[in-house]
């Protein structure tokens, strides 16, 4: 399945744009997504940490992904 | 202000002119808006569950802010000050951990996304 991943903050710099598209198997999990992204964008691994959000909620590595999910990479937050 | 309210605790965050001794020219804030709002609402809900507060306000700006400007305001009213102080502190502390907002510091010789790298 084809999924779109939104990027914010430094992740947008790493991806070179506000979003990227990836082709994943239909049973892909957040962990699979992270594995692929880190392979394609090694700079992700140099971040202090980052989270993945699915439909505006922080996701766990084992969570499944679906084609219509809104997926975002959340680098370390620094509001306030 | 409601008649039952005995006190309002307000936290106003302001843009500092330096970080670790290095001159800050300005800040740029970016938000993942729908999720930021959702996380702010969660924090407010938690404050109501933890303390007997009456009203909660959480306000955060995005875009470019100059030194001295105000990116964030938190206000909490309660019958008694202890709850207002504790809840206000909890809200700003938690906002800094969970709300998907990012701050880029712009210096004379470059810019840095705060907290991005170890």
């Amino acid at each position: 399945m084809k999924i779109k991943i939104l990027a914010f903050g430094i992740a947008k710099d790493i991806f070179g744009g506000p979003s990227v598209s990836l082709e994943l198997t239909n049973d892909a999990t957040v962990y699979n997504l992270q594995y692929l992204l880190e392979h394609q964008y090694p700079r992700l691994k140099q971040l202090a940490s980052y989270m993945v959000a699915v439909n505006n909620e922080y996701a766990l590595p084992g969570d499944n992904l679906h084609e219509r999910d809104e997926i975002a990479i959340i680098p370390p937050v620094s509001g306030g | 202000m409601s008649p039952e309210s005995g006190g309002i605790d307000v936290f106003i965050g302001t843009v500092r002119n330096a970080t670790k001794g290095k001159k800050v020219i300005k800040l740029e804030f970016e938000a993942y808006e729908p999720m930021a709002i959702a996380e702010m609402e969660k924090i407010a809900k938690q404050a109501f569950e933890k303390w007997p507060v009456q009203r909660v306000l959480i306000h955060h700006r995005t875009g470019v802010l100059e030194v001295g400007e105000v990116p964030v305001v938190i206000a909490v009213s309660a019958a008694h000050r202890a709850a207002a102080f504790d809840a206000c502190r909890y809200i700003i502390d938690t906002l800094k951990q969970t709300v998907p907002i990012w701050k880029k510091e712009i210096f004379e010789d470059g810019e840095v996304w705060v907290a991005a790298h170890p």
Side-chain angles (χ1 to χ4, degrees), chain A:
Chain A
M1 64 183 166
K2 190 164 184 233
I3 55 162
K4 181 177 156 187
I5 300 117
L6 304 176
F8 297 92
I10 196 164
K12 197 162 54 175
D13 301 349
I14 291 172
F15 289 167
S19 69
V20 290
S21 290
L22 269 184
E23 190 62 40
L24 290 175
T25 59
N26 289 340
D27 60 354
T29 63
V30 167
Y31 179 78
N32 301 137
L33 169 65
Q34 288 183 281
Y35 183 85
L36 267 173
L37 279 175
E38 287 173 13
H39 187 69
Q40 206 165 330
Y41 302 96
R43 277 178 62 202
L44 267 180
K45 285 182 288 187
Q46 288 150 15
L47 296 180
S49 65
Y50 71 91
M51 302 285 288
V52 176
V54 177
N55 301 328
N56 290 329
E57 292 285 340
Y58 286 111
L60 298 171
D63 291 351
N64 281 97
L65 298 172
H66 312 91
E67 198 143 29
R68 273 172 310 287
D69 284 340
E70 179 168 299
I71 299 163
I73 298 303
I74 311 290
V77 300
S78 50

Side-chain angles (χ1 to χ4, degrees), chain B residues 1-2 4 6 35 48 52 61-62 80 87 96-97 99-100 108:
Chain B
M1 296 237 292
S2 63
E4 307 82 34
M35 185 176 175
F48 279 108
R61 282 181 60 186
T62 56
H80 301 289
K96 282 175 173 289
Q97 288 163 0
V99 174
E108 285 160 326

Side-chain angles (χ1 to χ4, degrees), chain B residues 29-107:
Chain B
F29 285 90
E30 180 184 348
Y32 179 17
E33 221 166 292
M35 185 176 175
I37 290 166
E39 288 297 319
M40 284 180 183
E41 281 167 355
K42 272 187 206 168
I43 295 170
K45 196 162 157 283
Q46 287 155 9
F48 279 108
E49 282 159 6
K50 285 172 181 283
W51 292 281
V53 295
Q54 288 152 352
R55 295 212 180 137
V56 166
L57 174 144
I58 305 174
H59 173 86
H60 203 296
R61 282 181 60 186
T62 56
V64 177
L65 275 74
E66 307 292 334
V67 171
E69 286 195 294
V70 175
V72 62
V73 175
I74 312 284
V76 178
S77 69
H80 301 289
R81 65 182 182 284
F85 279 120
D86 293 347
C88 191
R89 174 75 192 237
Y90 170 82
I91 291 167
I92 184 65
D93 287 350
T94 310
L95 179 147
K96 282 175 173 289
Q97 288 163 0
T98 65
V99 174
I101 291 175
W102 297 271
K103 176 189 334 190
K104 178 158 54 173
E105 283 172 330
I106 290 128
F107 301 102

